[in-house]
Amino acid sequence: MSRLGPWAACSTLAVVMMLTMLSLLGASCSILSLLLPAAAVDGLPADAAAVSYEGYQVVRIRPATESQLTSLRVVLNDTELAAVDVWREPSRPARPVDVNVPPQVYPMLIDALKSRGLTYAVMVDDVQGHIHRESSKTRRVRRELRRKSAGSIVGTYASSADIVSWLNELAKTSSRVTLHSYGKSVEGRDMTLVKICNSTGTTKPIVFIEAGTHAREWIGHATALWIIDQLATSADADVARLLDAADWYIVPVANPDGYEYTHSTDRFWRKNRSKNNGSACRGVDLHRNWDSQWMKVGASGRPCDEIYAGPSAFSEPETKALRDVIVAAKANVKAYFALHSYSQAWLTSWGYTGQAPPDLDPLLDVAKKGADALMAVYGTHYDVGPGAVILYAASGCSNDWVKEKAAIKYSYSLELRDTGDYGFLLPSSQIEPTAIETWEGIKTAAKLILGIE
């Protein structure tokens, strides 16, 4: 159901941005920190141009019945509306559907909705304006960081280069942190695993956090960085107990090429940057590329679709490399959290079917208590349950593979703020509260899983 965004008309854009990084793989948390060099490039080549969303509006549609849901799917499948980018998929009656609409098809979409009696409202009336304002804030933060020569990027939507620089500095100053390159992306960027632990030298359970698989979901990257900072620097007793009980493995940017592209060229790019044979459309949806019921449901075989699952399961270097890290550590991994946005949902398996796994009850118990702890901070409500029930059915997802193939019992996907007021354009002012509440939820879940409370 995902539609092609405005980048379809810009398929000839080329971004030539390569990071020169050392490929170093560490075996344990007890070894010396291995530092990754910062990116050499932070910007666009002279012949590239950023995608403009001038005149775009985000429209929320509310199908009230199954019949209206079916009608909406017909509308969104209309080839004349192919430029409409679905941000929130049609799933069930009463659940809002959000779409980013270019000005040239806006009248046609509205006419189609009205003729079918579908209720709608404009949620964001100036998409490019929002992008510009947030970009201006980001540039100010970067200038300030560079002026100071060093500084924290925590609480910001940082560039790839600034993330690498900050992680390098953190590994120098915190004895808890080691950095490991676990592979190369399509465009040759290092993919970084951050290991955080105390220096006991003993084998411990592992809590694994993955973020940044979908490039445009910036709040996931920012939240992962906030959690890394807490684990690395906090003197809080809770953090000490968690580090005594487990090692923490965090991948803050699982799709580095796509993330860089959202900063340089197209803010709403979702996929990686693979070239697809026989198609001008680039990219594979990495969250449909895992070998868990691959291509069964909620995925596409068309390279121009946002949910293109790739030519085969694990066709992409990003998913293959992360799989290998998990396989190598799976005997000790006790919990897995994949951070996405947006919807405010704590999702259990399965994502590809409404049929429950046999151990759903303990999965739900931990998830509900985690969501309760999250809500206790600022009152943010999260729906809890299987992904196929709470959101929509989708196969080839990392958290399902972790449970199904790696046999890690407690595997979750968290859809962070918000529920559509801003969508993927969540203001930077909401990074800190989102990160704080998410960390409370994950801490609570981890304590229950590790048996330390």
Side-chain angles (χ1 to χ4, degrees), residues 31-69:
I31 67 173
L32 280 171
S33 286
L34 305 175
L35 303 183
L36 302 171
V41 181
D42 181 21
L44 277 172
D47 60 346
V51 173
S52 174
Y53 286 89
E54 195 69 43
Y56 279 66
Q57 300 181 74
V58 178
V59 176
R60 166 159 290 183
I61 309 159
R62 293 184 180 274
T65 64
E66 285 289 351
S67 176
Q68 285 196 338
L69 196 63

Side-chain angles (χ1 to χ4, degrees), residues 56-304:
Y56 279 66
Q57 300 181 74
V58 178
V59 176
R60 166 159 290 183
I61 309 159
R62 293 184 180 274
T65 64
E66 285 289 351
S67 176
Q68 285 196 338
L69 196 63
T70 300
S71 292
L72 179 56
R73 290 188 175 117
V74 170
V75 170
L76 296 178
N77 275 325
D78 188 334
T79 56
E80 293 186 344
L81 293 172
V84 173
D85 184 12
V86 178
W87 284 9
R88 220 176 176 196
E89 300 278 350
S91 58
R92 63 180 187 273
R95 184 177 184 272
V97 175
D98 298 339
V99 292
N100 188 22
V101 188
Q104 64 269 25
V105 299
Y106 181 85
M108 186 185 306
L109 174 67
I110 299 305
D111 286 346
L113 297 178
K114 287 179 176 178
S115 69
R116 290 165 174 81
L118 287 159
T119 302
Y120 69 92
V122 174
M123 300 297 289
V124 180
D125 62 2
D126 181 13
V127 171
Q128 187 60 41
H130 278 264
I131 294 172
H132 176 74
R133 286 189 289 275
E134 199 57 53
S135 295
S136 297
K137 291 178 186 176
T138 299
R139 285 193 294 271
R140 286 198 299 272
V141 169
R142 287 180 189 172
R143 285 195 297 268
E144 183 66 14
L145 290 175
R146 287 166 183 157
R147 186 185 66 80
K148 294 178 179 177
S149 296
S152 177
I153 60 170
V154 177
T156 71
Y157 290 131
S159 69
S160 297
D162 288 338
I163 290 173
V164 171
S165 295
W166 179 75
L167 287 174
N168 281 340
E169 189 63 29
L170 187 66
K172 290 178 184 176
T173 57
S174 174
S175 61
R176 302 172 186 173
V177 176
T178 57
L179 308 181
H180 309 275
S181 173
Y182 65 91
K184 297 280 188 179
S185 67
V186 166
E187 294 182 339
R189 291 181 173 86
D190 274 291
M191 295 181 289
T192 303
L193 170 67
V194 183
K195 295 183 181 180
I196 310 169
C197 49
N198 57 26
S199 303
T200 63
T202 59
T203 300
K204 295 179 184 177
I206 294 168
V207 178
F208 207 117
I209 299 175
E210 161 218 326
T213 290
H214 286 151
R216 64 190 178 186
E217 298 169 5
W218 286 7
I219 189 59
H221 308 75
T223 297
L225 294 172
W226 199 93
I227 292 172
I228 288 169
D229 184 63
Q230 287 294 298
L231 287 166
T233 66
S234 177
D236 183 76
D238 247 5
V239 170
R241 292 175 64 207
L242 289 166
L243 288 170
D244 285 342
D247 296 336
W248 291 72
Y249 286 19
I250 303 178
V251 175
V253 188
N255 178 9
D257 299 342
Y259 184 61
E260 182 63 29
Y261 198 70
T262 64
H263 278 269
S264 68
T265 307
D266 185 350
R267 175 61 184 86
F268 299 125
W269 189 263
R270 169 184 170 101
K271 302 183 285 185
N272 74 350
R273 294 293 296 157
S274 280
K275 294 180 179 178
N276 295 311
N277 290 334
S279 175
C281 296
R282 300 268 304 253
V284 169
D285 184 347
L286 300 178
H287 202 48
R288 300 293 187 274
N289 190 240
W290 292 70
D291 188 19
S292 174
Q293 309 296 318
W294 180 78
M295 278 294 292
K296 181 178 180 180
V297 65
S300 172
R302 298 184 297 270
C304 291

